[in-house]
Amino acid sequence: MKLTVAQLVSDALAALPDLAEAAAGIKAVDTLERTRDPSHGDFASNIAMRLAKPARKNPRELAAIIVAALPETDAIAKTDVAGPGFINFTLSPTAFHAEIETILDRGHEYGRRPHRNSPKILLEFVSANPTGPLHVGHGRHAAYGATVGNLLEAMGYPVSREYYVNDAGRQMDILGVSVWLRWLEAQGTAVPFPGAGYRGDYIRDIAANIDATGIAVSEADAVLDGVAADGGKDKPDDTAEVRAANKAARETYVGVLVDRAKALLGDDGFDRVRQQSLEAIRADIEDDLAEFGVVFDTWYSEQSLTKTGRIDDALAVLRDRHMLYERDGAEWFPATNFGDEKDRVVVRDNGVKTYFASDIAYHFDKRERGFDHLIDILGADHHGYVARVRGGLKAMGYDGDDLEVELVQFVTLYRGGEKMQMSTRSGEFDTLRQLRAEVGNDAARFYYVMRSNDQHLDFDLDVAKSQTKDNPVYYLQYAHARIQSMLRKAEEDGISVSLDNGLTQLGLLELAKEQALMRELSRYPEIIELAANNRAPQTLVHYLRDLASEFHSWYNDHRFLKDPDDLRDARLVLSVAVRNVIANGLGILGVSAPESM
RNA sequence: GCGCCCGUAGCUCAGCUGGAUAGAGUACUGCCCUCCGAAGGCAGGGGUCAGAGGUUCGAAUCCUCUCGGGCGCGCCA
C-alpha cells in the first residue's frame, strides 16, 4: 500500500524535470510515513521540505507543484498540503477494500515477500557452551534469534540458522573429568570432587548412562597420585583475596585431575568420555530448543575447525596478507589497526592457538561457505569481541559491514514482586526447561521478545502465567479465539455466511472504528518490514496488541451476526482479515493462535 | 582509567532511523453483560522525554559535555 503511494510520488517527480537535480538520491518511499493523526490522511510525505533547500523554493509552494503533477488514480481520495509543507494523502475506500481482499486471498502468505536468492544470511544464535542445560538467559537468545529469523524469512531472504558448539578446549576437559569422577563414584571410587568441576545433577545422569567399554575403574590413590586432594575443596570465602586464591587453587586442582584422567584412561579413553558427555548435553539442548519451537539448520562444531584445518587456513590468509606478527614468542593480530583496544594473540608461545583464532577461523569459514551477511546474536557481555572479530574479517579482505552483531541484554526473573536469585548453585530456578514448564512455551516466546533486545528484561512469572487481560499474550490469543468462536457460532445458528458476498459489500463498513481497523490491517506488511530491518520483534508485538485492541473495541460495540446479510457478510470479512493478520503475526513470533481457550 | 549499552507517566516499557498536540500497559477512580467469548469494552487524572549546549524549517530521536545505572576490558573459553 505504501509502495503504491510512493510510486505516485516518484511519477510526479519524474514529470518535473526542474526538480530532478534536487531530488537525486531521495527515494520517494523514504519520504512517506503513516500519519499519527487521521485528520492528516493516511500517508504523509515530507519530500517538499527535503527538496526546499536544494531547489531553493518555499516548501509549501513545492508541495503544491508536486501535488499538481501527481498522476490520476482511484486509490487516492484527496491530497492536501499541510503544516510546514507536508503532502498528506488520503486513500480512497477502494484502496482499503482491495487490501482486505488481498488479506483474504493470500491468507498465511499475507505480509510475506517473494523469495529472493540473496543476500544469503547466516544467523548464529544461542551457541551456549555444551557444559549444562540452557538457562533462562539463553531462552531469550533462542526466542529472539528464532523470531528475527522468521522475520527475515518473511522478507524473502534465505536464512540459515546456526548453533556454534564450543566443544573444544579446557571447559570440555573439565566436563569430561567431572563425568568420569561421577562415574568412578558410582563404581565405588570416591574422590574429592573438584570445586571447579561441573556439580549439577545432570553430570551424574550422564555418568550413569555412559558407555564405559574399555575404561578401567581406577583406585582413588591412583587418581590422586601426586595431587593435593584438598586443593579443590571450598574454603570460607571471606575476602576477595581468599576467593581469588581459592579460585586459583580450584582451577589448579581440576587441571591436575584432567591430566591424571588422561594418564589413566589414555587420550583415547578420556576422549570417549568427553565426547559422550558433550554429545549428551548437546542433544539435550537440541531437544529443549525444539520443544521451544527453535530449530537450527546446522550445529557447527568448534572441534571441526581444527580437524578440517580451517584455523590454519585462516591464519595462512592473514599471514599472506601480512596481518600477523611475532612478539615474545607468540603470534599476534594487530587488532588495534581495526579499532580494538589492544592487539590480540592468535598463537600462544607454547604453540597453542587461542580462542580468538578459532573465532576468526569460524567467521572466515562462514564467508567461505557462501554466506553474504553474517548476523551474530550475542550476550551483552560479549560486546568486547565485536571489534576484533570484525577486524579479523577485514584483515582477510572482507567487508567488515558484512558482520552484524545484535547484543541481547540480561533477563531478571520476578515472582511475587521479588527478584529471583538465578545462580546455578542456589538451584532455585534457572533452566529454560523449568521456565517453559511454569509459564508455557507461548508466554515464554512472547515475553522474551516483548522488549527491545538492548533493554534489560524483567520477566514477571506471575503476569506471564495469569490468564487475564493483564497478560498481553492471552489478550492477543483471545482476540483470535474470539473470532474463531464467532465464526463457529454463525455456523451453529445456521447463518449462511458468504465471504465472497462480503467482499463486494465492503462499502457498507462506514463506521470510524471499521475504517480504523482497515487502516491498521493495511499496515501489517510495513510492520513486518520494519521489524525485520531493525531486528526488532517488539515492533510486531506492539502492533498486534494495537490491532487486537481495535478489534475488541469495535466488536464490543457491534455484535453483528444478526445484521442484514450484506452488512453482516462485510463485517465477517473484516473479522476474518483481523484473524488472518493476528495468526500470521503470532506465527512469526512462534506463538500459537488457538481456536478456543 | 578506557570502551559499549541504557536513562521517556507512580511502576514496566513503545516511540516507525528527524516530523505535526510525546503514546500503550499497569496501578488508581467510576461505569457497561436477559445478548454472537466480561479472558472484553468505555471514561478520567498522571510528563522539565536525566541535565546543559549544538546541528535545522522541525530533536525524545543526530552531535558534544555532565550526572546516574548496567556490562566488558587475559598468551581463559
Side-chain angles (χ1 to χ4, degrees), chain A residues 146-224:
Chain A
T147 306
V148 167
N150 290 344
L151 284 166
L152 293 170
E153 275 179 348
M155 290 297 291
Y157 296 112
V159 179
S160 190
R161 297 162 174 80
E162 183 157 291
Y163 187 120
Y164 183 57
V165 185
N166 290 104
D167 55 5
R170 179 179 160 83
Q171 294 308 313
M172 286 303 106
D173 283 345
I174 294 174
L175 173 67
V177 84
S178 299
V179 169
W180 178 60
L181 290 172
R182 290 306 189 199
W183 179 79
L184 281 179
E185 192 177 281
Q187 313 302 315
T189 300
V191 172
F193 199 82
Y198 292 101
R199 322 190 62 130
D201 290 340
Y202 61 93
I203 296 293
R204 283 199 170 84
D205 296 341
I206 293 168
N209 293 311
I210 205 163
D211 175 4
T213 308
I215 294 177
V217 177
S218 305
E219 296 302 324
D221 287 350
V223 174
L224 292 172

Side-chain angles (χ1 to χ4, degrees), chain A residues 132-143:
Chain A
L134 297 178
H135 59 67
V136 292
H138 299 128
R140 187 176 192 191
H141 287 243

Side-chain angles (χ1 to χ4, degrees), chain A residues 14-255:
Chain A
L16 295 167
D18 291 355
L19 293 177
E21 195 183 335
I26 297 181
K27 283 193 198 155
V29 69
D30 294 335
T31 72
L32 283 169
E33 58 179 14
R34 291 276 177 169
T35 58
R36 193 170 309 184
D37 184 342
S39 72
H40 296 144
D42 298 304
F43 287 91
S45 172
N46 62 7
I47 189 153
M49 281 121 87
R50 289 169 65 170
L51 291 178
K53 198 168 209 178
R56 280 184 291 188
K57 281 208 162 82
N58 174 307
R60 289 193 63 111
E61 277 175 39
L62 260 179
I65 293 169
I66 294 167
V67 167
L70 287 168
E72 285 293 314
T73 170
D74 60 2
I76 304 293
K78 65 167 180 161
T79 52
D80 305 289
V81 176
F86 288 106
I87 303 173
N88 291 339
F89 296 87
T90 304
L91 297 188
S92 67
T94 46
F96 287 107
H97 299 166
E99 193 71 10
I100 297 295
E101 188 163 0
T102 303
I103 295 172
L104 264 67
D105 285 348
R106 299 204 63 208
H108 293 301
E109 290 299 307
Y110 182 67
R112 303 183 74 86
R113 301 285 182 86
H115 182 78
R116 55 181 99 181
N117 289 318
S118 69
K120 288 177 69 182
I121 298 175
L122 184 69
L123 181 63
E124 182 210 333
F125 60 111
V126 186
S127 299
N129 288 352
T131 54
L134 297 178
H135 59 67
V136 292
H138 299 128
R140 187 176 192 191
H141 287 243
Y144 176 72
T147 306
V148 167
N150 290 344
L151 284 166
L152 293 170
E153 275 179 348
M155 290 297 291
Y157 296 112
V159 179
S160 190
R161 297 162 174 80
E162 183 157 291
Y163 187 120
Y164 183 57
V165 185
N166 290 104
D167 55 5
R170 179 179 160 83
Q171 294 308 313
M172 286 303 106
D173 283 345
I174 294 174
L175 173 67
V177 84
S178 299
V179 169
W180 178 60
L181 290 172
R182 290 306 189 199
W183 179 79
L184 281 179
E185 192 177 281
Q187 313 302 315
T189 300
V191 172
F193 199 82
Y198 292 101
R199 322 190 62 130
D201 290 340
Y202 61 93
I203 296 293
R204 283 199 170 84
D205 296 341
I206 293 168
N209 293 311
I210 205 163
D211 175 4
T213 308
I215 294 177
V217 177
S218 305
E219 296 302 324
D221 287 350
V223 174
L224 292 172
D225 187 23
V227 178
D230 64 345
K233 289 189 178 171
D234 292 316
K235 291 174 179 165
D237 290 345
D238 295 320
T239 66
E241 286 75 16
V242 172
R243 276 198 298 277
N246 283 347
K247 184 167 191 280
R250 284 197 291 265
E251 293 297 333
T252 303
Y253 177 63
V254 79

Side-chain angles (χ1 to χ4, degrees), chain A residues 271-456:
Chain A
D271 194 51
R272 279 207 302 283
V273 173
R274 187 176 52 190
Q275 291 302 109
Q276 286 185 61
S277 303
L278 85 87
E279 180 49 28
I281 291 173
R282 195 207 59 77
D284 175 71
I285 288 172
E286 186 171 5
D287 287 348
D288 194 8
L289 290 171
E291 285 174 20
F292 198 34
V294 179
V295 177
F296 288 88
D297 298 292
T298 43
W299 293 74
Y300 194 98
S301 158
E302 184 187 356
Q303 286 178 7
S304 74
L305 284 172
T306 307
K307 286 182 191 150
T308 60
R310 258 313 187 215
I311 299 182
D312 294 327
D313 294 348
L315 293 182
V317 170
L318 288 174
R319 260 181 226 116
D320 287 350
R321 300 175 67 93
H322 308 291
M323 285 297 174
L324 294 179
Y325 66 89
E326 302 237 351
R327 192 176 78 203
D328 305 335
E331 199 162 14
W332 297 70
F333 173 68
T336 43
N337 295 351
F338 300 94
D340 199 4
E341 297 161 22
K342 52 185 83 168
D343 289 354
R344 307 288 169 177
V345 171
V346 289
V347 183
R348 281 189 260 162
D349 56 7
N350 62 7
V352 175
K353 287 144 199 151
T354 61
Y355 187 78
F356 175 51
S358 304
D359 259 353
I360 292 182
Y362 176 44
H363 286 84
F364 168 69
D365 182 72
K366 287 179 177 179
R367 292 300 319 252
E368 290 295 299
R369 279 186 280 154
F371 293 103
D372 311 302
H373 189 73
L374 314 179
I375 303 180
D376 288 7
I377 295 175
L378 300 175
D381 53 338
H382 286 62
H383 64 73
Y385 302 144
V386 180
R388 74 187 81 152
V389 175
R390 179 170 289 135
L393 280 171
K394 275 195 221 166
M396 287 188 282
Y398 292 111
D399 185 344
D401 292 340
D402 295 342
L403 172 64
E404 171 189 341
V405 178
E406 298 296 335
L407 297 175
V408 176
Q409 294 287 344
F410 297 141
V411 177
T412 311
L413 289 181
Y414 285 82
R415 189 200 296 284
E418 294 290 315
K419 190 172 175 173
M420 293 180 68
Q421 217 56 42
M422 285 192 294
S423 74
T424 309
R425 184 162 303 190
S426 74
E428 263 272 318
F429 191 111
D430 65 343
T431 68
L432 174 60
R433 267 214 176 76
Q434 287 170 303
L435 178 78
R436 294 196 294 107
E438 177 153 349
V439 307
N441 285 331
D442 283 344
R445 285 290 297 257
F446 190 88
Y447 271 77
Y448 272 135
V449 300
M450 199 165 68
R451 304 294 179 222
S452 167
N453 56 293
D454 53 22
Q455 201 79 236
H456 283 256

